[in-house]
Amino acid sequence: RRRHTRLQGDWSSDVCSSDLKRHGISAVILAAGASTRLGFPKQLIKYKAKSLILRKIDLLHQLNIKDVYVVLGAHHLRIRNNLKTSKNVKIILNKNWSSGLSSSLRCILNLRKKSNDLILLMLVDQVLLNRFDIEKLISTSQKNNSNQAATKYPDGLGTPAIVNYAFKKYLKGQRGDTGAKIIFSNIQSIRSVELKNALFDIDTKKDLARLTS
């Protein structure tokens, strides 16, 4: 089943700055949604003994990506509590998470980055993604003069993706639940990469049952 997850979010920030060690890439995990269809916070679902949010952070640290931001909104107090043991993680609080994805993406405007700085955008619920997938994405981006790459879906480009901070100019006019693929479609100098593991995400209890069966 091929699906592209819609993201939810919006934010104000309490961000600390730090220098990312690898590839000059900062990572932003989009995890502000309320998981309405699932009925409980997907961020805290345990898979192989760890919550999805911790698994995503661990994956980034395995790749030696130290500058990690997590965008939280709904259930942020419970999720923050789950992150207490995580190091080198900065929280961006999206107070307007209910207004849609575009508001979460606009929080990137709060990051103090140069135009050519790179940002890895990831969803919390694409649980099957592994380090080899992200290595492939990074490798693809490095073959592009702009160092930008996004995952290919049947209906366009989506996350995970690597974009430079100039990407922020495409965010200013976005409102509501605008999908990342609409924004990526405006970036001409972005390469696509096929990541089969990105095609599975968790939106419903049926998805969760498929993961654990």
Side-chain angles (χ1 to χ4, degrees), residues 31-35 38-46 51-54 57 70-86 91 93 97:
S35 309
L38 187 62
F40 48 87
K42 66 174 71 176
Q43 300 92 330
L44 299 178
I45 291 173
K46 283 198 173 182
S51 67
L52 297 193
I53 188 71
L54 287 179
I57 291 169
V70 177
V71 181
L72 299 180
H75 318 293
H76 68 93
L77 292 178
R78 292 177 60 187
I79 300 168
R80 275 178 182 264
N81 188 60
N82 188 240
L83 297 178
K84 283 182 177 179
T85 59
S86 295
I91 303 298
L93 178 60
W97 59 267

Side-chain angles (χ1 to χ4, degrees), residues 47-127:
Y47 179 61
K48 295 184 178 179
K50 278 195 175 181
S51 67
L52 297 193
I53 188 71
L54 287 179
R55 289 181 61 82
K56 197 67 67 178
I57 291 169
D58 285 352
L59 171 61
L60 294 169
H61 287 168
Q62 288 171 22
L63 291 160
N64 200 29
I65 296 178
K66 304 300 183 185
D67 198 7
V68 177
Y69 300 87
V70 177
V71 181
L72 299 180
H75 318 293
H76 68 93
L77 292 178
R78 292 177 60 187
I79 300 168
R80 275 178 182 264
N81 188 60
N82 188 240
L83 297 178
K84 283 182 177 179
T85 59
S86 295
K87 297 180 180 180
N88 300 314
V89 175
K90 301 90 182 171
I91 303 298
I92 302 175
L93 178 60
N94 174 7
K95 294 181 179 179
N96 300 317
W97 59 267
S98 61
S99 68
L101 166 65
S102 60
S103 57
S104 285
L105 289 173
R106 284 200 308 275
C107 280
I108 295 172
L109 299 176
N110 294 324
L111 304 183
R112 297 173 182 174
K113 303 294 179 183
K114 298 177 182 178
S115 293
N116 60 349
D117 286 345
L118 300 178
I119 298 174
L120 168 60
L121 297 173
M122 300 187 73
L123 300 181
V124 71
D125 64 347
Q126 291 178 304
V127 64

Side-chain angles (χ1 to χ4, degrees), residues 12-23:
S12 69
S13 65
D14 66 88
V15 184
C16 302
S17 63
S18 102
D19 185 38
L20 186 125
K21 306 296 183 189
R22 176 171 183 159
H23 308 296

